[in-house]
Amino acid sequence: APLPTTQVVAVTAGGAASALVTYSAPSGLDLCIDGAYITQSVQTWAGTVPLVADRNALLRVFVRATQANSAQPSVRVRFYNGSTLLSTTVVPAPSASVPTIIDEATLNSSWNVTLAGASLQPGLKMLIDVDPTGAVAETDEADNSWPVSGTPAPLDVRTVSTLMVRFVPVTQSANGLTGNVDITNKDSFLAPMLKMFPLSTIDADIRDPFTTSAPVLASSGTNWSQVLGELLALRIAEASGRYYYGVVKTTYTSGVAGLGYISTPAAMGWDYLPSGTEVMAHELGHNFGRYHAPCGGPSGVDPFFPYSGGIIGTFGYDIVAGQIKFPILRDLMSYCDPH
């Protein structure tokens, strides 16, 4: 509780001023929900990243106590469409006490619910409350809801188009090597994109091999642009609406691994797995309009990238592995590891 509750301080331009505020903690235990968000790959504390319909997600609810305790309250989560109640889930306490400090870095510091993609649809609203049965004695029972108003909060859930991709195995006439992509490894190439990008589904097919007349692809990047241009011309000639992704086999395992146009649906990368999967995600990131993140010395850096050092800057979550990704990890569009 602050004292005074409000005050006015005059500050002259270029000057400084101070304001004295004293705080008193309430006596006795009180519980509140400091925050809650749904993440499908990465999310801000304020929940400003839109959600993709029909994509699995994790709801994290952060309950905080005013003092050390041994309380184990449950959390109730209700989803609505308009005023219609769709579902109610009661989440047991994840640990033997309610934390007094919020910690996004560990899963057992929040009340968590895995959400099936089918439940995430436009028009969804969410209301959460801690200790819904009043099992824990508190000094204030009026601050147990999120939002604190008790009115369900609308969620920004969006329907997105299926990503249409065409794999093109590239045969180099100069050495006879053909990129290794087929029905057995196709999904391996796609997996990182389904984790990282705002997608729900990918429709991918595999074209017959395309033979390039370019000289052998060099680790320095020589001859890569010619092949990429041929792939774009192939897409235009075939009047396809798919993203064309050429898969090549190189004579080296260290050097240029991929190349992609920015905001134009053609890219290419080597077939060495597992690195080839992240190469594909990186190059299609260029196709989606993304420039490089500032780490590792790439050219074409995005001047509006929001975090220094090319880090992701906020907590991410791998929905498949069930792992938190820390803010200091490097963005996929950088040249630094780990992504």
Side-chain angles (χ1 to χ4, degrees), residues 33-236:
I33 299 176
D34 259 11
Y37 58 71
I38 297 174
T39 180
Q40 294 173 317
S41 176
V42 68
Q43 188 57 271
T44 64
W45 177 259
T48 54
V49 178
L51 302 173
V52 176
D54 297 308
R55 174 173 172 150
N56 295 343
L58 179 73
L59 166 64
R60 301 190 70 187
V61 180
F62 296 89
V63 180
R64 181 175 56 81
T66 54
Q67 62 185 38
N69 63 90
S70 58
Q72 299 181 50
S74 60
V75 160
R76 179 176 60 183
V77 181
R78 288 173 284 180
F79 286 105
Y80 296 82
N81 187 334
S83 60
T84 302
L85 177 64
L86 299 178
S87 67
T88 301
T89 301
V90 177
V91 188
S95 59
S97 63
V98 178
T100 57
I101 298 174
I102 297 302
D103 181 11
E104 291 183 78
T106 59
L107 287 174
N108 64 1
S109 67
S110 58
W111 281 243
N112 307 316
V113 183
T114 300
L115 304 175
S119 67
L120 293 173
Q121 301 297 326
L124 197 65
K125 297 181 179 181
M126 182 171 66
L127 179 61
I128 308 170
D129 47 6
V130 60
D131 191 32
T133 62
V136 179
E138 300 181 60
T139 58
D140 184 359
E141 298 285 354
D143 60 351
N144 285 17
S145 294
W146 184 94
V148 70
S149 64
T151 301
L155 300 173
D156 186 3
V157 182
R158 306 184 188 184
T159 300
V160 300
S161 301
T162 297
L163 176 62
M164 310 295 286
V165 175
R166 175 158 293 161
F167 285 101
V168 182
V170 176
T171 299
Q172 299 177 63
S173 59
N175 58 15
L177 297 179
T178 301
N180 178 26
V181 59
D182 55 31
I183 194 66
T184 64
N185 64 7
K186 178 184 71 172
D187 290 344
S188 296
F189 281 95
L190 303 177
M193 288 192 293
L194 285 170
K195 288 183 180 183
M196 300 182 192
F197 287 118
L199 305 168
S200 61
T201 54
I202 300 177
D203 182 320
D205 64 18
I206 303 175
R207 188 190 182 280
D208 292 336
F210 165 76
T211 301
T212 176
S213 59
V216 174
L217 297 176
S219 61
S220 63
T222 302
N223 304 322
W224 280 74
S225 293
Q226 179 178 335
V227 178
L228 182 59
E230 291 174 356
L231 287 168
L232 179 58
L234 180 67
R235 178 184 182 273
I236 294 171

Side-chain angles (χ1 to χ4, degrees), residues 9-19:
V9 178
V11 186
T12 59
S18 62

